[in-house]
Amino acid sequence: TGAGAEVFAGVCSSCHGADGKGMEYVAPNIAEFTPELVVNVLNHGKKGAIGAMPAFDRLNAKQKEAVGAYISSLSK
């Protein structure tokens, strides 16, 4: 999942942390998310207790799948 790791490092980690475990008052722990949930959130965004996660239209379907697979590997 090299492509997923690259997308995660460049896009996700600034808010969700390098380990995907999130940061208090910034972003939630996503390390336990399934690949399908990650892709759904990237496609549609998500309103949470802290704030709103925007949809990421600049990522293509393959990038979204790759980052979803990478994120789900963080909890293993």
Side-chain angles (χ1 to χ4, degrees):
T1 54
E6 283 181 36
V7 172
F8 184 86
V11 179
C12 316
S13 66
S14 58
C15 293
H16 292 284
D19 59 1
K21 294 205 174 8
M23 290 187 263
E24 198 170 11
Y25 306 115
V26 177
N29 179 347
I30 58 171
E32 304 281 324
F33 281 24
T34 65
E36 296 79 17
L37 180 55
V38 171
V39 171
N40 187 43
V41 171
L42 289 171
N43 283 334
H44 305 289
K46 185 176 189 303
K47 199 157 182 61
I50 298 169
M53 160 81 184
F56 272 78
D57 298 332
R58 64 189 167 133
L59 299 178
N60 66 40
K62 286 281 178 217
Q63 288 173 310
K64 290 174 184 177
E65 288 173 25
V67 80
Y70 176 74
I71 289 169
S72 70
S73 77
L74 293 174
S75 65
K76 292 180 173 60

